[in-house]
Amino acid sequence: MLYANRNLPFSVQQNGFALMPVILAVLIMGALIGVGLTLVGPRVKREKYNQTNNTITAAVQAVTSWSVANGRLPDSLEFPAVIRNIDDAWRKSLVYVYDNNLASSSTGSTCGRQTTNITSGTTVNIAFLVVSGGDDYTVDSTPNTSGQYNGNVTASPNDIVRQVTLKELKNKAGCYAETLGRLRIINNELPQACIGQPYTAILYAEGGVPFSGGGNYKWCLKNSPGWLTSIPNTLSCPSTSDCSSLGTEASSQWSQANNIQLSGTPTANGNFPITVLVRDNNDNNPGSSGDNCAQQVFSIAVTACP
């Protein structure tokens, strides 16, 4: 209980009682404000992360759509114009990490590639990533030590990261159909031949990642009839080689040229099968079998012509 001090004037006692509700109200308001701050802080942070996630998702979709339309990824100079919002919720620019080969029309289109130079942890063949530094304003995910957008990217848990693999990008672009940029043999069939008359046919290819010199592709023939020859010589392809087991680009197996010319003089009628394989320079490594490959089986019909 509170007792008035009888030695004080009545007016002083009255003022003391009047201040008590004000003090209690201030204490209660301070406690409520403190509780509110502890609740609002995490909520604001969560909202910023959600906003940044949405921004990155929109950026990934924009880059993917642009890539499908143009057959390659945008480079770092084109990236800001491709996406609608370049900043995250903390007003820091998003970081765009991409494979340089996929952004250059001279090194092959998206559909012409099978591998990339970017990995992240156990995920390989990454086409591109979009990264935000999060609430510490710093992108902790690092490219390789040279600072180039190639190599092993270490994703930090402090960052907000979205990555798109080459397979995902090629699926969006429809690269597993007859899409521009996909390595393929142009010929659908070979002309007929006549017994005892000279025969000539030329095979062409397009797409993939052509060699920079010495011919765009490397060729190999198998199951060829004995009367057939080719320029350049591509008749040494092992019978076990196909697009599922290419082997290395040994000169004894593969001949490099833009196209190949078949010629010869058949001596008997019949249908003569021939299997044609063509590979590109996707892996840029003669000792590897990671190239794009196209394979097609033809039949040369030989008849007794007038």
Side-chain angles (χ1 to χ4, degrees):
M1 297 181 61
L2 296 175
Y3 296 91
N5 190 341
R6 296 177 180 177
N7 295 324
L8 296 175
F10 177 76
S11 60
V12 175
Q13 297 179 36
Q14 189 178 37
N15 290 338
F17 278 109
L19 288 174
M20 290 303 298
V22 176
I23 295 173
L24 290 174
V26 170
L27 291 175
I28 292 172
M29 289 179 62
L32 291 175
I33 291 173
V35 172
L37 289 175
T38 59
L39 295 176
V40 170
R43 182 175 179 179
V44 171
K45 182 177 180 180
R46 184 168 61 251
E47 288 297 326
K48 285 185 177 289
Y49 268 90
N50 290 338
Q51 180 182 340
T52 300
N53 273 319
N54 293 335
T55 300
I56 292 178
T57 299
V60 167
Q61 292 173 347
V63 170
T64 301
S65 298
W66 192 96
S67 173
V68 170
N70 293 273
R72 64 177 180 86
L73 288 177
D75 59 26
S76 58
L77 297 178
E78 295 167 323
F79 174 70
V82 170
I83 67 174
R84 183 170 61 180
N85 188 3
I86 191 64
D87 294 333
D88 60 18
W90 295 273
R91 298 186 181 278
K92 293 293 182 180
S93 295
L94 299 175
V95 175
Y96 174 50
V97 181
Y98 62 97
D99 186 331
N100 293 335
N101 288 326
L102 293 178
S104 172
S105 58
S106 64
T107 56
S109 67
T110 301
C111 292
R113 286 277 171 183
Q114 288 204 70
T115 57
T116 74
N117 295 320
I118 300 179
T119 61
S120 180
T122 58
T123 306
V124 298
N125 295 329
I126 296 174
F128 71 93
L129 306 93
V130 179
V131 187
S132 164
D135 60 354
D136 64 357
Y137 311 121
T138 303
V139 174
D140 301 306
S141 300
T142 57
N144 60 7
T145 55
S146 65
Q148 299 296 316
Y149 294 144
N150 286 322
N152 184 37
V153 177
T154 304
S156 169
N158 298 324
D159 296 338
I160 306 172
V161 183
R162 294 288 183 277
Q163 64 187 30
V164 176
T165 65
L166 178 59
K167 182 178 180 180
E168 293 170 328
L169 195 62
K170 291 174 72 171
N171 280 333
K172 291 287 185 180
C175 292
Y176 301 103
E178 293 298 324
T179 307
L180 182 64
R182 178 173 176 259
L183 178 63
R184 68 187 187 96
I185 297 172
I186 298 176
N187 307 66
N188 292 320
E189 59 183 7
L190 294 180
Q192 290 185 341
C194 297
I195 298 175
Q197 298 183 23
Y199 174 81
T200 300
I202 300 178
L203 291 165
Y204 301 90
E206 68 176 9
V209 186
F211 288 87
S212 58
N216 290 338
Y217 305 104
K218 289 195 173 182
W219 300 83
C220 179
L221 304 183
K222 64 179 183 180
N223 302 331
S224 301
W227 55 267
L228 196 67
T229 61
S230 65
I231 301 175
N233 180 22
T234 60
L235 300 176
S236 58
C237 183
S239 59
T240 56
S241 289
D242 55 34
C243 283
S244 63
S245 58
L246 280 177
T248 60
E249 300 172 17
S251 59
S252 61
Q253 298 178 9
W254 300 88
S255 295
Q256 188 172 341
N258 292 333
N259 49 66
I260 57 173
Q261 178 176 316
L262 307 178
S263 60
T265 302
T267 57
N269 65 339
N271 291 312
F272 297 88
I274 175 174
T275 303
V276 182
L277 284 82
V278 61
R279 68 191 297 174
D280 65 0
N281 195 33
N282 177 76
D283 60 13
N284 196 26
N285 183 1
S288 177
S289 59
D291 294 323
N292 288 301
C293 174
Q295 178 177 334
Q296 193 161 337
V297 178
F298 298 95
S299 179
I300 304 175
V302 179
T303 60
C305 302

